[in-house]
């Protein structure tokens, strides 16, 4: 009943370990790129009606991260009333086809203001082709839209001043290659 021999197997898994390290490095680079670009990545489980975000998505929504995700209806309740139909239509369009579907939607922040998100979505299907989820990304365009509005307001004010003063405004667009400066 006493052991007399010890047998073992030695397997060189250096290649597997290197692949895992390389995959971890790529995942870390992807997470850093998403953070730098402030891209929210999300997935809606249609059967459970739960939405899962990456950390950026939770920050954008002002919600606390949970392992179980968030109730889809609670997130949809923050959509601006004027944008709700377009958001629902984009989801339906994504589920009906295979293409990526974009929509701009305003979501209410915890302080009552709205953020403008450009969202891209695509349907995920099971082996039988049934839609089981929507996956997508969201880009916060609030600052760009505010800057565009400020620029348009400034242009309107300049035009009003020019009209009131009777001043004409003109510009010249140089066509490359017509004045010889671009010739080689």
């Amino acid at each position: 009943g006493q052991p007399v021999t010890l047998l073992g197997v030695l397997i060189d898994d250096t290649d597997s370990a290197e692949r895992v390290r390389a995959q971890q490095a790529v995942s870390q680079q992807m997470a850093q790129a998403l953070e730098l670009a402030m891209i929210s990545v999300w997935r809606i489980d249609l059967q459970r009606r739960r939405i899962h975000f990456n950390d950026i998505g939770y920050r954008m929504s002002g919600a606390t991260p949970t392992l179980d995700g968030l109730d889809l209806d609670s997130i949809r309740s923050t959509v601006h009333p004027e944008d709700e139909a377009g958001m629902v239509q984009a989801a339906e369009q994504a589920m009906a086809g295979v293409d990526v579907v974009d929509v701009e939607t305003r979501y209410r922040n915890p302080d009552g203001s709205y953020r403008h998100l450009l969202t891209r979505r695509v349907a995920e299907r099971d082996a039988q082709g049934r839609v089981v989820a929507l996956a997508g990304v969201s880009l916060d365009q609030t600052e760009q839209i505010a800057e565009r509005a400020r620029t348009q307001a400034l242009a309107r004010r300049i035009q009003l001043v020019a009209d009131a003063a009777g001043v004409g405004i003109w510009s010249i667009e140089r066509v490359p290659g017509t004045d010889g400066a671009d010739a080689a």
Side-chain angles (χ1 to χ4, degrees), residues 27-64:
S27 293
Q28 195 172 36
Q29 289 171 343
M30 178 64 78
Q32 184 178 28
L34 292 172
E35 187 71 34
L36 288 170
M38 291 300 297
I39 297 173
S40 168
V41 178
W42 49 267
R43 182 177 185 276
I44 299 171
D45 179 332
L46 294 171
Q47 182 179 12
R48 295 181 56 235
R49 298 196 51 80
R50 305 294 288 179
I51 184 167
H52 297 267
F53 292 110
N54 65 351
D55 289 342
I56 296 163
Y58 282 110
R59 283 197 312 264
M60 276 186 190
S61 68
T64 303

Side-chain angles (χ1 to χ4, degrees), residues 10-135:
L10 185 59
I11 299 173
D12 182 0
D13 69 343
T14 304
D15 290 341
S16 296
E18 288 298 318
R19 280 194 298 274
V20 167
R21 278 192 283 278
Q23 187 174 10
Q24 288 172 337
V26 168
S27 293
Q28 195 172 36
Q29 289 171 343
M30 178 64 78
Q32 184 178 28
L34 292 172
E35 187 71 34
L36 288 170
M38 291 300 297
I39 297 173
S40 168
V41 178
W42 49 267
R43 182 177 185 276
I44 299 171
D45 179 332
L46 294 171
Q47 182 179 12
R48 295 181 56 235
R49 298 196 51 80
R50 305 294 288 179
I51 184 167
H52 297 267
F53 292 110
N54 65 351
D55 289 342
I56 296 163
Y58 282 110
R59 283 197 312 264
M60 276 186 190
S61 68
T64 303
T66 66
L67 291 176
D68 193 37
L70 301 173
D71 177 64
L72 181 59
D73 293 327
S74 69
I75 294 298
R76 286 188 170 175
S77 72
T78 67
V79 172
H80 192 284
E82 294 173 6
D83 298 344
E84 192 171 345
M87 185 218 30
V88 169
Q89 181 182 11
E92 289 171 353
Q93 187 179 355
M95 290 187 290
V98 295
D99 295 330
V100 174
V101 179
D102 294 348
V103 68
E104 288 187 26
T105 309
R106 292 168 287 181
Y107 290 84
R108 190 177 54 255
N109 292 315
D111 68 1
S113 65
Y114 281 90
R115 66 192 174 286
H116 297 256
L117 300 182
L118 169 63
T119 57
R120 306 193 85 192
R121 67 197 34 74
V122 66
E124 287 183 7
R125 300 177 187 282
D126 65 12
Q128 290 74 38
R130 293 182 299 245
V131 176
V132 295
L134 289 174

Side-chain angles (χ1 to χ4, degrees), residues 154-172:
L154 177 60
R156 282 192 299 276
R157 286 194 302 271
I158 290 171
Q159 186 63 52
L160 288 172
V161 168
D163 290 348
V167 175
I169 299 175
W170 55 273
S171 65
I172 296 175

